[in-house]
Each structure stands twice: as structure tokens, then as C-alpha cells.
């Protein structure tokens, strides 16, 4: 059995097994600050700070495995000069500290392969299962097999909470999102995505078709490891045109398979601050 432990004060999660200690982090977006140069804002590379934070975390957790949950780099299709410089060096340092490193591809990871040392294993965007935990970035649908996992963990939206305090000051913080996941809606949406016409019982249909037993009931969204980034405010009222609710990014959240209203939000230090529904009243 894997134990699932968020690491206090870090946007990171540890999956602890008998022999393995698997550290998972998401959304480094290396090279993000370089995109600001085009807007006339010059920031020094933030990569040394990200590496220092990662090394502190590794020292604390002593992982046997390190999994990057997508968006290691920032420039989507091309490789920026800063990324050529920073990413190989970052991974060479990490390879000296952690025996096994894997990267699950995110939507920003175009041409990432060329930047990684050979020892780093690249996994597709449809994700991977580690015991009963399914990991994928969240911009694309996971493989049907991942629905066999009780818990699904994604990144991608860089979740934040924003509210006003009684003085009117606006507070924004990175948050963990823990939401219940509706199996039937998930199965229905995934079949639709795969262009398979579902019969009435979508769960049974998906299970037959892929020879799986679906167990996905828990959904986690990780805060981005790069704390410099903006993110999606999960408690914002999203009213689109004609009074329709505007959705979140990523196919799973858009499919309404995850009940975001009742999602519980936790600050990085583990403090529970309320559900999305409760915090929506404070925006
Ligand atoms: Mn992403």
C-alpha cells in the first residue's frame, strides 16, 4: 500500500511504499521569466532558486524516485536559450541526488527530450499509475487504465485561492485542491473523448472495453512548484456569456467529472481553509 503524504510547506507530495519513496512535483515552468523580456521586464534566472528549493526538499524527504508531473519547461513548442542553459544542468544535479527520475509530459514540454540526461525517463501525457495512484499532467485525458487508481493527481492549473479580508485587501495563495470525483461522469466523458458511443451504464461499458475495474473517486490538484507563476483562482465566480458557468482548463475539470464546488482547499502548510463553495462567497 502506498501512503500519500503532502510535504508540509512544499508544493510536493510523497508516495511512500515499502521500499520506495516517490516524490512528486508539478509545473516548474523553467524559463518563465525569460518570456517577460519580450515585455521589457528583465528578471535574473529563477532556476537557481528552484534548484535550491528542490535540493532542500530532497534532503528532507530522501526520495528513491522523483516524478515531474508535467511542464518542466515554459516555452511551449520551441526551446528558449535560457532553457537550453538551465534545464540540462538542473537535471544533472538532480540525477546525482535521486536514483530514478521520470518526467510525465505536460503541454509546455515540447522538445524537452533533447534537454534531459539519458537516465531521465520520459512518460507520455496520458500518465502513469503507481499502485493505486494515477499521475498525469491534466491538459489531456489520462489513459483509461488510470481510472483503476483510487486517487488521481494532476497539476496544470496552478491552483490559487483569492479573497478579500475585512479591510478589503486582496489575498492570494497557492492551494492544494482535494475533490470528489464522479466515476460515472468520468467514464462517460472519457468514452466520448475516445469516440466510443456509450451505452446506459458508462462505467460498465468502459470496464468491459478496456478490461479494467474503475476505482477513481479522489482527485487532487497540486500547486505549481514554481511559486513565481500565476495560476487559476479556483474560488472565482466564473460567469460566462448568457449566465453560463465558464469552465476550468483541462478536459477532466471541463467534463464536470470532478465536483469542484465541494473541493476542499489547503494552504501549503496544510491548513484547511474551506471548500470552494464557501470561499466563493469571499471573492
Ligand atoms: Mn500545463
Amino acid at each position: 500500500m502506498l501512503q500519500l503524504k503532502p510535504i508540509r510547506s512544499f508544493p510536493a507530495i510523497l508516495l511512500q511504499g515499502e521500499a520506495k519513496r516517490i516524490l512528486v512535483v508539478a509545473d516548474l515552468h523553467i524559463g518563465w521569466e525569460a518570456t517577460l523580456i519580450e515585455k521589457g521586464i528583465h528578471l535574473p534566472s529563477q532556476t537557481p532558486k528552484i534548484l535550491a528549493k528542490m535540493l532542500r526538499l530532497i534532503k528532507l524527504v530522501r526520495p528513491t524516485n522523483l516524478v515531474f508531473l508535467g511542464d518542466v519547461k515554459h516555452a511551449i513548442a520551441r526551446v528558449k536559450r535560457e532553457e537550453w542553459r538551465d534545464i540540462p544542468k538542473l537535471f544533472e544535479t538532480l540525477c546525482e541526488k535521486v536514483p530514478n527520475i521520470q518526467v510525465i509530459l505536460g503541454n509546455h514540454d515540447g522538445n524537452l527530450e533533447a534537454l534531459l540526461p539519458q537516465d531521465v525517463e520520459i512518460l507520455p501525457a496520458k500518465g502513469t499509475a503507481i499502485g493505486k495512484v494515477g499521475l498525469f499532467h491534466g491538459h489531456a485525458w489520462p489513459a483509461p487504465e488510470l481510472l483503476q487508481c483510487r486517487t488521481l493527481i494532476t497539476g496544470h492549473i496552478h491552483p490559487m485561492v483569492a479573497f478579500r479580508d475585512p479591510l478589503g485587501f486582496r489575498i492570494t495563495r497557492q492551494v492544494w485542491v482535494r475533490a470528489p470525483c464522479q466515476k460515472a461522469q468520468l467514464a462517460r466523458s472519457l468514452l466520448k473523448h475516445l469516440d466510443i458511443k456509450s451505452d446506459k451504464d458508462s462505467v460498465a461499458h468502459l470496464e468491459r472495453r478496456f478490461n479494467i475495474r474503475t476505482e477513481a473517486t479522489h482527485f487532487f490538484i497540486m500547486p505549481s512548484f514554481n511559486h513565481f507563476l500565476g495560476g487559476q483562482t479556483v474560488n472565482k465566480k466564473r460567469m460566462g456569456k448568457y449566465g453560463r458557468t465558464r469552465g476550468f482548463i483541462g478536459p477532466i475539470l471541463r467534463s464536470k467529472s470532478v465536483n469542484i464546488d465541494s473541493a476542499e482547499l489547503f494552504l501549503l502548510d496544510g491548513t484547511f481553509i474551506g471548500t470552494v463553495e464557501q470561499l466563493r462567497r469571499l471573492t
Side-chain angles (χ1 to χ4, degrees):
M1 251 319 246
L2 276 179
Q3 262 185 303
L4 205 141
K5 297 180 179 167
I7 310 296
R8 187 179 294 270
S9 299
F10 283 96
I13 206 163
L14 181 70
L15 309 176
Q16 172 143 28
E18 301 253 302
K20 281 186 181 174
R21 296 169 61 79
I22 304 156
L23 181 62
V24 184
V25 295
D27 294 287
L28 269 69
H29 287 257
I30 302 289
W32 174 80
E33 58 280 10
T35 58
L36 289 179
I37 290 173
E38 291 151 23
K39 312 235 181 260
I41 298 168
H42 292 259
L43 291 180
S45 168
Q46 300 296 303
T47 312
K49 285 184 196 164
I50 291 175
L51 177 60
K53 182 158 101 173
M54 192 69 88
L55 292 176
R56 277 202 309 278
L57 180 59
I58 288 170
K59 205 171 165 190
L60 181 76
V61 173
R62 290 168 292 106
T64 55
N65 299 58
L66 176 55
V67 179
F68 288 90
L69 202 53
D71 288 357
V72 166
K73 64 198 274 298
H74 186 72
I76 291 181
R78 52 205 173 116
V79 176
K80 286 191 83 84
R81 198 179 37 185
E82 291 74 10
E83 295 173 341
W84 275 115
R85 190 191 55 205
D86 288 356
I87 293 176
K89 234 170 66 190
L90 175 92
F91 274 86
E92 275 158 28
T93 308
L94 295 177
C95 281
E96 288 168 15
K97 306 277 178 195
V98 185
N100 302 291
I101 302 184
Q102 293 170 311
V103 172
I104 297 168
L105 293 175
N107 51 316
H108 285 254
D109 291 325
N111 293 312
L112 177 65
E113 264 171 277
L115 305 177
L116 298 179
Q118 261 185 350
D119 297 347
V120 175
E121 187 186 357
I122 297 188
L123 299 171
K126 65 181 186 200
T128 192
I130 301 176
K132 286 280 171 203
V133 179
L135 300 171
F136 62 106
H137 179 61
H139 67 296
W141 279 100
E145 291 73 26
L146 253 66
L147 270 55
Q148 298 189 95
C149 299
R150 187 175 163 272
T151 303
L152 298 175
I153 305 180
T154 69
H156 187 49
I157 75 165
H158 318 162
M160 316 272 284
V161 65
F163 54 88
R164 283 184 196 283
D165 73 4
L167 293 173
F169 292 124
R170 195 171 139 85
I171 298 165
T172 61
R173 289 288 182 277
Q174 288 192 289
V175 282
W176 287 93
V177 180
R178 182 169 81 183
C181 179
Q182 280 137 20
K183 239 165 54 166
Q185 181 61 30
L186 192 56
R188 199 174 309 128
S189 308
L190 185 53
L191 284 168
K192 194 173 165 207
H193 161 72
L194 296 167
D195 255 333
I196 302 168
K197 198 171 160 9
S198 172
D199 54 30
K200 239 187 184 156
D201 188 344
S202 51
V203 172
H205 189 161
L206 189 80
E207 292 187 340
R208 251 192 343 269
R209 177 70 188 250
F210 293 96
N211 195 21
I212 56 171
R213 267 190 61 96
T214 53
E215 284 188 33
T217 45
H218 293 62
F219 193 81
F220 278 85
I221 311 173
M222 295 190 65
S224 63
F225 194 78
N226 186 340
H227 65 275
F228 214 24
L229 299 170
Q232 195 160 27
T233 307
V234 289
N235 64 320
K236 196 167 156 187
K237 292 186 191 104
R238 304 167 189 283
M239 297 307 281
K241 273 184 192 165
Y242 318 116
R244 272 194 309 232
T245 313
R246 226 189 308 147
F248 283 88
I249 54 171
I252 288 225
L253 293 181
R254 274 200 301 265
S255 75
K256 303 201 172 77
S257 308
V258 172
N259 189 348
I260 208 79
D261 287 350
S262 57
E264 298 168 313
L265 303 181
F266 301 85
L267 299 177
L268 291 193
D269 69 1
T271 310
F272 171 66
I273 51 168
T275 64
V276 165
E277 200 172 27
Q278 288 167 339
L279 288 156
R280 220 175 251 148
R281 292 185 223 130
L282 299 178
T283 54

